[in-house]
Amino acid sequence: MNKTAIFLTAVVLTACGGKKEASLQSEAFSTDSLVCELDDSVCEVYMCADYPVAGPSALVNILQEYICEEMGVDTRLRTKGDAVLHEGADIMHEALKSSWNSIEPMEDSDKPTLFGVRNIRKVSDTAGYVSYLSVYEDYQGGAHGSRVEIGTTFRKSDGRRFGWDLLKNTDSDAFRLLLKEGLRQYLLSGGVKEALTDEGLQSLLLYDGSVDYLPLPHNAPYLTEQGIVFAYQQYEIAPYALGIPTFTLNYQKIEPYLSSAVKEMLEEGSEKR
């Protein structure tokens, strides 16, 4: 083969590779809704996930690993969504069975049926980002079960996972007042009229500090089309009866505190509408 032929072959191979890579990167993001259930006399297990099956390779890989981690499953299984959910269900079933075996039955009473839920759902999907909400529910005996809700945002272009770096200047007095406003609206929407005043709001909380400077939630917020969602977990700031205090701050209100990366993602989404 002469030099000209070698050069042309190299150009063709490079072009084909480039087109293939570009195709993978531009492929639309999509998921399959997968479910796995186990039910016996000891416990009930329900696993559910919006499992990534197509899209930018970096994003798909990171989301698959994220779901594996949330399910407590080896990330080497990540390309097999059904296997991930079944393995997660088996792990949870064994844990609940162990808890059930340790329960001493009450007199004239059977042992309770325990349950565990892992529900990992896509809650927002835009041109710039995708957000997931992981909901964990467990009942292992006692007066009531527990529930945890944790949202996470991923950048579409490269799969970057965001935490509190979604925001800046969160230690400012003005930002903490936004948290007070959001928490108040959550309580009022549930009919808790005591939250109308600062004194009443303070009386509802497990937090001893000033309601004008509330602590940040333990878990980072996440993006949705309506705004940024914040959530305090059970007992984190309020008693069990008040649930998981959750509220959304719209982008107009929280714009001064958005990181530059978030602004870029939001702009990308608005441009492609």
Side-chain angles (χ1 to χ4, degrees):
M1 184 180 291
N2 60 38
K3 290 183 179 180
T4 301
I6 293 173
F7 173 75
L8 290 174
T9 300
V11 170
V12 170
L13 290 174
T14 301
C16 289
K19 288 180 180 177
K20 182 177 180 182
E21 184 175 345
S23 176
L24 286 172
Q25 291 302 318
S26 62
E27 187 176 2
F29 176 69
S30 63
T31 60
D32 278 346
S33 292
L34 304 179
V35 173
C36 180
E37 297 180 79
L38 296 177
D39 188 356
D40 58 26
S41 60
V42 173
C43 60
E44 300 172 4
V45 173
Y46 179 83
M47 312 291 278
C48 179
D50 287 333
Y51 214 82
V53 293
S57 56
L59 175 67
V60 170
N61 291 344
I62 288 172
L63 282 172
Q64 288 175 345
E65 290 183 354
Y66 155 75
I67 293 174
C68 286
E69 292 166 358
E70 297 295 284
M71 296 278 184
V73 174
D74 192 324
T75 57
R76 287 174 291 186
L77 284 176
R78 64 177 181 75
T79 59
K80 303 173 182 178
D82 285 323
V84 169
L85 264 68
H86 280 83
E87 179 71 11
D90 287 340
I91 291 171
M92 182 181 291
H93 184 271
E94 287 303 309
L96 290 173
K97 184 177 178 181
S98 177
S99 295
W100 189 85
N101 287 333
S102 68
I103 296 175
E104 293 294 334
M106 300 292 289
E107 200 172 300
D108 299 325
S109 176
D110 294 329
K111 289 185 179 183
T113 298
L114 309 186
F115 71 81
V117 173
R118 296 292 180 271
N119 194 347
I120 305 173
R121 289 293 195 180
K122 180 178 63 176
V123 293
S124 190
D125 185 355
T126 74
Y129 66 86
V130 58
S131 292
Y132 270 74
L133 181 63
S134 294
V135 177
Y136 314 100
E137 293 184 79
D138 292 279
Y139 175 67
Q140 300 191 34
H144 55 71
S146 64
R147 182 182 176 95
V148 175
E149 299 180 5
I150 302 175
T152 309
T153 296
F154 302 83
R155 187 161 57 193
K156 274 279 185 74
S157 61
D158 58 3
R160 175 182 170 183
R161 184 189 303 198
F162 285 85
W164 279 105
D165 50 350
L166 288 169
L167 301 169
K168 60 183 181 181
N169 299 329
T170 56
D171 58 344
S172 69
D173 293 343
F175 179 82
R176 299 305 174 97
L177 287 175
L178 290 179
L179 294 183
K180 180 178 80 168
E181 179 182 337
L183 182 59
R184 192 194 307 277
Q185 290 307 312
Y186 165 82
L187 294 168
L188 291 175
S189 68
V192 185
K193 295 181 180 180
E194 294 92 331
L196 279 170
T197 66
D198 283 0
E199 293 77 11
L201 179 61
Q202 182 75 70
S203 71
L204 295 167
L205 303 182
L206 302 175
Y207 170 65
D208 292 332
S210 170
V211 292
D212 287 333
Y213 197 84
L214 291 174
L216 297 175
H218 176 73
N219 298 109
Y222 58 97
L223 305 182
T224 67
E225 285 89 339
Q226 293 72 40
I228 298 189
V229 180
F230 296 80
Y232 291 96
Q233 302 304 315
Q234 291 176 335
Y235 296 114
E236 185 177 351
I237 199 170
Y240 180 86
L242 295 181
I244 298 176
T246 304
F247 52 88
T248 302
L249 298 179
N250 67 54
Y251 290 116
Q252 182 178 3
K253 187 173 295 184
I254 206 169
E255 193 277 336
Y257 307 99
L258 299 177
S259 70
S260 58
V262 169
K263 291 180 179 179
E264 288 179 12
M265 289 191 295
L266 296 176
E267 290 170 1
E268 184 178 356
S270 62
E271 290 171 358
K272 293 187 178 181
R273 286 195 186 105

